[in-house]
Amino acid sequence: MFGIDVLSLLLLLIAAVTSDVTDNELDDSCDLSSDLLTEIESYGPTVETIINSVLNGKFKGGTYNELADFVDKFGARLSGTQNLEDSIDYMLALMNEYDLENVHGEDVEVPHWLRGIEVGEMVEPRTAEIEVLALGSSVGTPQEGIEAEVLVVRSFDELDEANFSAAASGKIVVYNYEFVSYGVSVAYRSQGARRAARYGAVAALVKSVAPFSMYTTHTGQQAYEDNTTQIPALAITAEDAAMFQRYQDRGEKIVVKLNVTTQILPDETSRNSIAEIVGSEQPEKIVLVSGHLDSWDVGVGAMDDGGGAFISWYALAVLKSLGLRPKRTLRAVLWTAEEPGLVGAYAYNTTHYDELDNHTFVMESDEGTFTPQGLIYTAGTRGGCILAEIMKLLTAINATQAVYSSGGVGSDISIWTNVIPGGSLLNANERYFWFHHSEADTMDVLNPDDLDKSTALWASVAYIIADLSEEFPRDFNRTTADLTKSELMKKVMESVAANKIKLL
Ligand SMILES: *[C@@H]1O[C@H](CO)[C@@H](O)[C@H](O)[C@H]1NC(C)=O
Ligand SMILES: *[C@@H]1O[C@H](CO)[C@@H](O)[C@H](O)[C@H]1NC(C)=O
Ligand SMILES: *[C@@H]1O[C@H](CO)[C@@H](O)[C@H](O)[C@H]1NC(C)=O
Ligand SMILES: *[C@@H]1O[C@H](CO)[C@@H](O)[C@H](O)[C@H]1NC(C)=O
Ligand SMILES: *[C@@H]1O[C@H](CO)[C@@H](O)[C@H](O)[C@H]1NC(C)=O
Ligand SMILES: *[C@@H]1O[C@H](CO)[C@@H](O)[C@H](O)[C@H]1NC(C)=O
Ligand SMILES: CC(=O)N[C@H]1CO[C@H](CO)[C@@H](O)[C@@H]1O
Ligand SMILES: [Zn+2]
């Protein structure tokens, strides 16, 4: 499956909501029984043990060191490449080495798109090199390249104005939109090429989707539509987008030459990597912790999503080593091919569909592993009350927040979090999109202490939910039947805009 843009994903999310959707304003007066409160509080010493062993004991620095070994060995891990498969083999061996259980890969057919050469050059009004970075699934230029005049638009609305759309034919359209948030502005990346193609444009240059730039280009998935010509879709820097705008506003003619090759090869078989600690009393019930192992081909995917994948399996490694086996099964999933469109998650949905009813809570960290602050979750009122109590146990690492998200959480797991309660790592990730999908996504973004805290939080929360005598409630507070489609759409869009759901 190739390319999921914001709109299609929203539609899928809506399709996925078969039972319940929440409209939960967490009540101040949670009425959990004193037995339950006492039980949750009784995990305090366990959480202390976990935190001590990860922050000061034998696991100190372990998440960072294992991740550094991994990204230094494999670098980027693009969907469809042999390198990604080699990195999966390595992870399966490593998780076995740490004594995790039922370690195995599960096959997933994934897209194989490859970048080639990328040359951008401005020839009018002056000569200069322009950094270009093809977006995932983009076609290349014809062999003779493309040389065309540039038309800059500030928004889709501007492109759709009669005189702009009339002027777009035969031009290279530059999108110089104002960055609002990743969730909102990513539409220019995912839809920019096809919407310019509707008016006969020959290529689209999209300002990189990031709040900050040091002449950085950021890639990411884009998608074509069936009824328009597939034109090259390339990211440019914010600096160049602004420069093109200034030229155009002065009435200066801009001409750009592009020479880009990309290749779409046949799909390949990849794997979701799975490891467990089998539950002692209800092994069929599952608490899932996850991150994705694949990355874009620029940078080394240390932040996106090496950090999230590594706190997930390492949390299980810590628990196993401490002899902490919960009543329900803890399952770590390292998703494959998240970047081209949550491909690994959709495959898991198919192969584990019968079992999804027995997934009591799903977790994914894919928005950074900076200083953790708590958990951002989707659940009903009672679930929210339970999480708030659990998070109180994380005072020692100052990560006690339980923040409710009405439209879902995570990236891969977002296809389920309107039907299965779920949580994502709340962390001080204000700079996440500075590095995201760029050459700057390296180990330097990460910090060993933050990773230790993230692992400790992840292990504590997953363990308690998997071990509590009460199964985590699926009591979403309001049913879909109560929500109109547009209300639901609005909620999902709010989550997307607030970066609570990360669309690829
Ligand atoms: C595009 O780049 C390729 C590879 O460097 C080169 O062979 C080809 O001549 C270039 N095409 C143009 C039009 O510059
Ligand atoms: C379209 O018209 C507006 C004024 O109505 C003008 O500011 C703008 O430059 C025009 N755009 C193009 C591409 O001609
Ligand atoms: C192509 O299809 C899209 C909807 O998928 C529509 O909005 C657009 O106008 C169509 N373009 C053409 C050129 O027919
Ligand atoms: C998961 O799989 C089921 C059964 O095949 C399907 O009905 C459902 O739409 C899938 N969910 C998603 C999000 O694709
Ligand atoms: C789900 O859990 C129920 C009750 O524990 C069990 O009977 C059932 O077999 C489980 N289903 C799957 C597919 O594991
Ligand atoms: C604890 O975390 C909050 C944000 O969640 C932050 O504002 C505060 O400064 C932190 N306190 C300490 C002592 O680090
Ligand atoms: C069905 C249900 O759980 N309804 C609850 C939704 O949340 C409000 C307040 O948050 C409660 O008062 C309802 O009982
Ligand atoms: Zn990611």
Side-chain angles (χ1 to χ4, degrees):
M1 187 186 55
F2 236 84
I4 295 211
D5 62 289
V6 179
L7 191 64
S8 342
L9 191 49
L10 288 177
L11 294 174
L12 283 164
L13 274 172
I14 285 162
V17 177
T18 49
S19 60
D20 295 311
V21 139
T22 170
D23 185 23
N24 163 32
E25 247 64 80
L26 187 54
D27 206 325
D28 281 342
S29 55
C30 283
D31 59 352
L32 301 179
S33 70
S34 62
D35 280 359
L36 183 54
L37 290 173
T38 308
E39 190 193 349
I40 294 173
E41 221 186 309
S42 76
Y43 286 99
T46 306
V47 169
E48 199 181 322
T49 302
I50 294 170
I51 290 177
N52 276 334
S53 72
V54 179
L55 269 66
N56 311 309
K58 67 185 266 209
F59 300 107
K60 184 177 170 58
T63 314
Y64 182 95
N65 291 335
E66 289 290 2
L67 179 57
D69 286 354
F70 176 74
V71 299
D72 288 345
K73 189 168 177 61
F74 296 102
R77 305 167 303 279
L78 186 68
S79 170
T81 60
Q82 184 57 44
N83 192 50
L84 172 60
E85 296 320 298
D86 293 346
S87 80
I88 290 169
D89 289 337
Y90 174 96
M91 287 313 302
L92 294 173
L94 186 61
M95 293 192 294
N96 266 320
E97 233 173 80
Y98 275 83
D99 207 20
L100 298 187
E101 299 156 16
N102 296 335
V103 175
H104 67 283
E106 294 187 356
D107 287 359
V108 182
E109 294 306 302
V110 303
H112 192 194
W113 170 88
L114 281 184
R115 184 185 306 286
I117 57 137
E118 307 178 303
V119 183
E121 190 191 356
M122 180 166 69
V123 291
E124 283 190 60
R126 70 180 164 89
T127 309
E129 246 180 64
I130 301 293
E131 182 89 13
V132 293
L133 183 66
L135 299 177
S137 88
S138 174
V139 298
T141 57
Q143 252 183 354
E144 64 279 15
I146 288 175
E147 177 169 340
E149 219 179 294
V150 163
L151 173 72
V152 186
V153 297
R154 286 191 173 84
S155 64
F156 287 134
D157 284 346
E158 194 170 76
L159 175 66
D160 290 339
E161 280 170 25
N163 63 336
F164 277 93
S165 45
S169 185
K171 301 258 172 62
I172 296 171
V173 167
V174 167
Y175 287 99
N176 180 40
Y177 60 88
E178 189 188 340
F179 180 85
V180 178
S181 69
Y182 180 77
V184 167
S185 303
V186 73
Y188 289 97
R189 187 192 81 204
S190 53
Q191 305 168 27
R194 67 182 194 233
R195 291 180 68 155
R198 287 178 199 168
Y199 298 121
V202 293
L205 301 182
V206 184
K207 177 173 131 177
S208 289
V209 192
F212 176 76
S213 178
M214 287 180 68
Y215 202 74
T216 334
T217 47
H218 301 248
T219 190
Q221 192 67 1
Q222 69 93 41
Y224 295 117
E225 60 195 5
D226 292 339
N227 58 357
T228 44
T229 311
Q230 301 193 348
I231 61 171
L234 314 170
I236 57 170
T237 66
E239 289 87 342
D240 283 338
M243 176 186 71
F244 288 138
Q245 184 79 61
R246 292 193 300 275
Y247 285 134
Q248 177 166 299
D249 290 351
R250 291 186 204 113
E252 291 178 79
K253 182 178 173 190
I254 314 159
V255 176
V256 162
K257 270 164 80 169
L258 299 169
N259 185 8
V260 175
T261 61
T262 60
Q263 274 180 283
I264 294 172
L265 301 171
D267 286 359
E268 292 286 347
T269 304
S270 183
R271 287 156 292 167
N272 287 325
S273 306
I274 296 184
E276 296 181 338
I277 296 178
V278 177
S280 58
E281 290 180 16
Q282 290 180 286
E284 74 284 2
K285 300 285 181 185
I286 289 153
V287 171
L288 184 149
V289 293
S290 66
H292 67 87
L293 208 61
D294 69 302
S295 73
W296 281 106
D297 55 341
V298 287
V300 295
M303 179 194 78
D304 184 12
D305 184 27
F310 270 58
I311 67 167
S312 294
W313 76 265
Y314 206 73
L316 264 60
V318 168
L319 294 170
K320 182 74 196 274
S321 162
L322 293 172
L324 291 168
R325 181 183 298 280
K327 297 186 184 76
R328 300 177 194 83
T329 293
L330 282 171
R331 178 178 292 170
V333 181
L334 313 181
W335 308 107
T336 193
E338 185 273 350
E339 296 294 0
L342 318 183
V343 182
Y346 282 105
Y348 184 93
N349 180 68
T350 302
T351 40
H352 292 270
Y353 193 66
D354 290 346
E355 213 188 14
L356 282 182
D357 266 350
N358 285 343
H359 283 54
T360 56
F361 199 75
V362 292
M363 296 163 66
E364 179 170 30
S365 165
D366 188 20
E367 291 91 26
T369 46
F370 298 90
T371 308
Q373 301 165 326
L375 197 75
I376 180 161
Y377 69 89
T378 297
T381 303
R382 186 175 174 78
C385 291
I386 291 173
L387 291 173
E389 290 303 318
I390 293 174
M391 297 318 290
K392 285 181 188 165
L393 302 175
L394 288 139
T395 321
I397 56 166
N398 188 31
T400 54
Q401 296 184 52
V403 173
Y404 173 66
S405 165
S406 61
V409 288
S411 50
D412 298 277
I413 63 165
S414 69
I415 70 175
W416 300 297
T417 50
N418 281 325
V419 283
I420 305 173
S424 197
L425 185 73
L426 187 69
N427 68 108
N429 62 357
E430 296 79 8
R431 294 180 303 140
Y432 182 78
F433 291 107
W434 293 18
F435 309 106
H436 182 251
H437 298 183
S438 80
E439 290 290 0
D441 182 352
T442 66
M443 277 312 285
D444 308 74
V445 180
L446 302 164
N447 167 294
D449 295 337
D450 285 341
L451 278 169
D452 284 346
K453 290 179 190 166
S454 300
T455 295
L457 182 153
W458 221 226
S460 302
V461 172
Y463 175 78
I464 297 170
I465 295 173
D467 195 59
L468 268 183
S469 57
E470 174 176 334
E471 183 165 321
F472 196 87
R474 255 195 206 201
D475 67 330
F476 286 105
N477 201 14
R478 207 174 148 194
T479 62
T480 344
D482 303 329
L483 278 182
T484 66
K485 196 169 165 180
S486 68
E487 281 177 316
L488 176 57
M489 176 74 97
K490 190 164 157 270
K491 284 192 175 308
V492 175
M493 274 319 288
E494 281 164 7
S495 285
V496 168
N499 294 330
K500 287 170 185 166
I501 296 185
K502 192 186 116 192
L503 299 167
L504 314 184

